Amino acid sequence: MARRAARYRVAVAVGLLLVGCGGDSPTGPPIAPVIELAPGSVSFTGSEGGAGPTAQTVAITNFNSAPLTGLATGQITYGAGGAGWLHASIDKTTAPATLTLTPTIGTLAGGIYTATVPVSSAGASNSPQPVTVNLLVISGTGVTTFATAGQSAVFLGSPKFGARLALQPGAQYLIAVVNTNPTQSLTEDFMLAGALETGASARVVTPPAARAVLRQTRRPMSVAGRTMANLEYLRRLAQNHLTMLELNREIYARLGDPRAVRARLRAPSARVSRLSASVASTVGTVNKIYVRKQLTGACTAVDSIGARTVAVGQHVIVLADTNRTTWPQGQRPDSAFYQTFADEYDQVTWPHLVSFIGDPLAFDTQLSSTGKVTVTITPLLNKLGGGILAFVNPCDFFPFAATGPDADFSNVTEMFYSLTPATNGFDVPGWEKELRAVAAHETKHIVSIADRILNNSPVLEQVWLEEGLAQESSEIWLRHFNQATWKGNASFDQTIACEINLGPNAPCDLQDDKPIALALSHLPFFFSYLQGESQSNSEGLGKDNPANYGAGWTIARWATDQYATDEASFIKSLINEPQLEGMANLSSHTGQPIPLLLTYWNLATAIVGTPTYVAADVRTTVPSFNFADIFNVGQTGLVCGGTPCGFFTQSGTPVFPIQPAALAPGTINHTVTGVPGTAAAFFLLTAPSSGTQALQLGSGAGGPISPSSGLRVGIIRVK
């Protein structure tokens, strides 16, 4: 229509000019014919190995009065994946005429195929004019019917996905295209295509955004550091912790077995100043402690501090930096806190670790045989790389040597380090709550290093699973203080509301004395991971803070919920694994292939709303947590200073972190690029009427998907 309107404007302007000049109107140059095609593109759908789809026609007409003659088709140009599958013919050489397009499926594999048919005419101003042809070959043949919400299907046999969904009016189908490559650096592109095979074509319907009902108003949140600046501070602490874990892997791989190093240093030819260090178990003693001063470098990159023994328990020694300039008295806890912490470590943390994680002192006889885990609290961590909450240094598992090729300023004992309260960080009450949960997290890292040494493992665990299991350690430890249980579908009231005093409507923490971890680490990072995965395909296990602290935790938790007959034994088997890392470790100890694990985990964590159904397959859930309720209430059920506010995002929106791409029945051609390994792209298909929707996965460029692709598909009927 735009081209016609332009021609009309030109004709009118010329006519007015001629009238203005007077005299007879000249005939002027002849107007060239113009090829008109309706429609300009054609789509076909057929089954792999089946008969070709019914031919379709395109009307060829001429816009201008001059005859459109010499009509013919030129050479067909084929897109990726296949050629020769299309026949084109014109019934007449003079317009009006009909172009008939006849596809043949033959041996074409399931996929999306494209072709361009040029239509030419002698003298036409726009010759040749192309017709675009799309052919969707479905590799799936019996129709998938989800009778009720909660039913699901996964397609794990190969990346060659094709399916036909029997649509029911008002139903919604969540589709996850999962990159099951075991590392996030292996990205893939794809095209999700589809066609409505039966029933009338449905109008495009955009699924309405999920709306949550506000719960009863609660008093404003009073979480220490709950400002954007402090959130950034927490993210920096977390990132530096991950950097330290990567450094730990490098140090362990480079130095090898500490027992071999000790043997070298004890040889008669070796000259070292000492081979052991010790931490005093007498309260009041000042110990010389070496603390890493940078996030890179060798085991000699340390500062030394004076750290007083401030508390001693049956299984723990607590040391506090004596420097009153860098850690002033006003930012120190009451001295009684240290012994209270030590007592809790003995009575709660230690039994938890022995039961669920392993023995933190398994390597103690090869060290200084103190027989206790040491906690060193020092402000050096507040400035290390801009701040790090806590860490374990594998250099402490090696003998002390001041010089030589094995130089190591080691404390020669099982130790973890913690930062201190500060004016630009945690206040004292917030720090005390955080340290209590940190103990269960950091001591897990001690267990991991000791187990890998004793198992003669060549490397430490991959960071995302090492951190995920440490997060699982503190999550289980928190059951002593919140209302969560294993496979208990814990809600917001049973988790976050047990870490933050939210008033009488959430009475779990009325005394404001419970430790905090889920509210500031596990759940916000998991929410951020899902947002990044959903909105920009920018995630994947191991990629960043949300991936390690949030997704690493949930896949470890999901695997435990699904495949552990005994929670403690299963977690210990992952930690004590001698050789395997990451997804290979999970695969070995669950007995399941990696594509299955990643596909079901991505389906289970696709939090797009509050389900009103019972999942038919428990693998599409995380039985221990009701994440939908946690995110719903956290985003819509709280007020800050009288104003509704969101716990997981400053703005309070979106209610749920996954915002899938909206699809409507009919022709679908949706290309997605750069999906990281272990992550997924999500779609929500809404059916306003009945019909059969064909779906096919193809390569990003069109054509069949590569047999080596790691892409797999899972579908849940969510409404």
Side-chain angles (χ1 to χ4, degrees):
M1 291 298 296
R3 181 167 62 238
R4 294 183 178 182
R7 288 187 175 276
Y8 287 138
R9 286 195 295 271
V10 171
V12 171
V14 171
L16 290 174
L17 179 61
L18 291 174
V19 170
C21 293
D24 296 332
S25 299
T27 58
I31 299 177
V34 176
I35 302 173
E36 295 279 324
L37 302 175
S41 64
V42 176
S43 295
F44 295 95
T45 302
S47 298
E48 186 179 61
T54 303
Q56 296 189 42
T57 60
V58 174
I60 306 173
T61 57
N62 175 29
F63 168 70
N64 288 323
S65 58
L68 188 60
T69 61
L71 290 172
T73 58
Q75 183 174 356
I76 299 175
T77 302
Y78 292 94
W85 49 266
L86 182 64
H87 176 72
S89 63
I90 297 177
D91 64 339
K92 293 185 293 186
T93 60
T94 302
T98 300
L99 170 67
T100 300
L101 300 170
T102 307
T104 302
I105 291 180
T107 60
L108 290 179
I112 303 104
Y113 300 87
T114 61
T116 301
V117 180
V119 177
S120 61
S121 171
S125 62
N126 63 341
S127 180
Q129 187 71 356
V131 177
T132 302
V133 182
N134 298 296
L135 172 62
L136 175 62
V137 179
I138 304 296
S139 56
T141 55
V143 174
T144 301
T145 301
F146 298 103
T148 61
Q151 292 184 319
S152 60
V154 296
F155 302 83
L156 300 173
S158 76
K160 193 172 67 173
F161 160 77
R164 289 179 166 87
L165 297 183
L167 304 180
Q168 298 185 28
Q172 289 187 327
Y173 306 87
L174 180 69
I175 303 167
V177 180
V178 183
N179 184 345
T180 64
N181 286 298
T183 173
Q184 52 86 20
S185 61
L186 298 174
T187 62
E188 291 211 38
D189 307 335
F190 70 88
M191 178 185 291
L192 181 65
L196 192 64
E197 294 189 320
T198 60
S201 295
R203 63 186 180 87
V204 175
V205 177
T206 301
R211 300 183 64 184
V213 178
L214 283 171
R215 292 192 173 189
Q216 53 190 327
T217 301
R218 296 170 175 176
R219 81 178 215 184
M221 283 192 303
S222 57
V223 183
R226 209 39 209 176
T227 65
M228 184 58 73
N230 280 320
L231 286 176
E232 289 301 321
Y233 176 67
L234 289 171
R235 293 187 184 103
R236 183 167 68 250
L237 297 180
Q239 181 56 55
N240 286 338
H241 181 70
L242 298 180
T243 301
M244 189 66 77
L245 288 177
E246 290 287 3
L247 177 63
N248 290 354
R249 278 171 54 88
E250 184 274 325
I251 288 172
Y252 181 84
R254 175 166 47 85
L255 297 184
D257 191 331
R259 294 166 292 190
V261 176
R262 180 174 292 276
R264 289 198 299 270
L265 293 175
R266 283 178 168 170
S269 59
R271 297 180 179 181
V272 295
S273 57
R274 59 178 173 141
L275 290 176
S276 65
S278 62
V279 174
S281 297
T282 303
V283 173
T285 303
V286 176
N287 306 270
K288 184 176 183 179
I289 300 297
Y290 299 100
V291 183
R292 175 167 283 281
K293 65 180 180 180
Q294 60 192 43
L295 297 173
T296 60
C299 289
T300 54
V302 299
D303 282 330
S304 63
I305 64 169
R308 180 175 285 107
T309 301
V310 291
V312 177
Q314 184 180 355
H315 303 289
V316 67
I317 300 173
V318 183
L319 309 181
D321 196 312
T322 58
N323 192 322
R324 299 285 173 145
T325 301
T326 56
W327 188 12
Q329 184 61 39
Q331 294 165 10
R332 290 176 180 257
D334 184 280
S335 59
F337 166 76
Y338 298 121
Q339 192 58 52
T340 300
F341 171 83
D343 292 343
E344 182 175 84
Y345 193 95
D346 284 345
Q347 297 163 16
V348 178
T349 308
W350 181 265
H352 155 76
L353 292 164
V354 173
S355 296
F356 287 92
I357 306 302
D359 182 4
L361 300 176
F363 199 63
D364 194 52
T365 58
Q366 300 291 319
L367 300 174
S368 54
S369 298
T370 304
K372 304 176 193 296
V373 172
T374 301
V375 181
T376 298
I377 305 166
T378 171
L380 290 183
L381 271 71
N382 295 61
K383 65 179 183 179
L384 179 58
I388 182 171
L389 184 64
F391 67 88
V392 172
N393 187 355
C395 298
D396 288 336
F397 285 79
F398 290 81
F400 179 95
T403 59
D406 296 309
D408 184 337
F409 286 90
S410 169
N411 294 306
V412 201
T413 195
E414 298 89 344
M415 180 180 292
F416 77 83
Y417 306 81
S418 167
L419 51 61
T420 66
T423 55
N424 62 343
F426 289 100
D427 60 15
V428 172
W431 172 82
E432 291 177 352
K433 290 184 175 186
E434 187 78 12
L435 181 64
R436 293 166 64 190
V438 162
H441 180 114
E442 294 301 323
T443 310
K444 184 272 173 189
H445 292 318
I446 291 175
V447 174
S448 295
I449 295 172
D451 283 358
R452 288 270 166 164
I453 292 172
L454 292 171
N455 288 332
N456 299 308
S457 303
V459 292
L460 297 183
E461 180 58 89
Q462 290 183 14
V463 167
W464 68 262
L465 186 52
E466 174 65 22
E467 194 59 19
L469 290 168
Q471 290 281 78
E472 196 170 16
S473 175
S474 57
E475 171 239 309
I476 295 172
W477 178 87
L478 282 163
R479 293 177 192 165
H480 293 279
F481 308 95
N482 62 25
Q483 298 171 358
T485 58
W486 186 28
K487 300 185 183 181
N489 199 35
S491 65
F492 181 92
D493 290 340
Q494 296 170 304
T495 54
I496 290 180
C498 286
E499 298 184 8
I500 303 166
N501 183 353
L502 294 174
N505 291 325
C508 187
D509 192 24
L510 280 178
Q511 302 303 315
D512 199 21
D513 61 352
K514 294 187 183 296
I516 188 167
L518 291 173
L520 290 185
S521 179
H522 302 65
L523 294 167
F525 279 124
F526 178 44
F527 188 96
S528 296
Y529 176 88
L530 295 179
Q531 277 192 312
E533 183 182 40
S534 170
Q535 296 173 2
S536 60
N537 298 328
S538 60
E539 279 298 353
L541 292 171
K543 187 169 186 179
D544 53 18
N545 287 343
N548 288 282
Y549 292 97
W553 164 58
T554 57
I555 194 170
R557 166 48 57 203
W558 175 85
T560 305
D561 285 358
Q562 301 297 336
Y563 299 105
T565 54
D566 176 76
E567 191 178 23
S569 298
F570 179 78
I571 294 171
K572 282 183 175 180
S573 73
L574 294 172
I575 295 171
N576 198 37
E577 163 57 43
Q579 299 293 325
L580 302 175
E581 310 169 64
M583 287 306 304
N585 188 357
L586 283 179
S587 178
S588 174
H589 291 280
T590 60
Q592 304 298 320
I594 291 175
L596 180 146
L597 296 176
L598 289 171
T599 301
Y600 274 109
W601 169 65
N602 273 283
L603 286 174
T605 55
I607 315 299
V608 297
T610 303
T612 57
Y613 59 82
V614 175
D617 189 332
V618 71
R619 291 175 294 181
T620 64
T621 70
V622 184
S624 285
F625 289 91
N626 187 341
F627 289 121
D629 177 81
I630 291 170
F631 293 152
N632 180 4
V633 179
Q635 289 299 89
T636 66
L638 304 173
V639 293
C640 301
T643 303
C645 60
F647 187 84
F648 299 102
T649 59
Q650 290 295 104
S651 65
T653 56
V655 175
F656 299 104
I658 293 288
Q659 299 292 310
L663 300 178
T667 301
I668 297 172
N669 286 292
H670 198 111
T671 300
V672 179
T673 60
V675 179
T678 73
F682 298 99
F683 305 87
L684 190 64
L685 175 65
T686 299
S689 58
S690 61
T692 301
Q693 177 68 42
L695 293 171
Q696 181 67 45
L697 199 64
S699 71
I705 198 161
S706 169
S708 63
S709 169
L711 295 175
R712 300 294 187 270
V713 177
I715 303 175
I716 305 177
R717 180 177 170 182
V718 294
K719 182 179 177 182

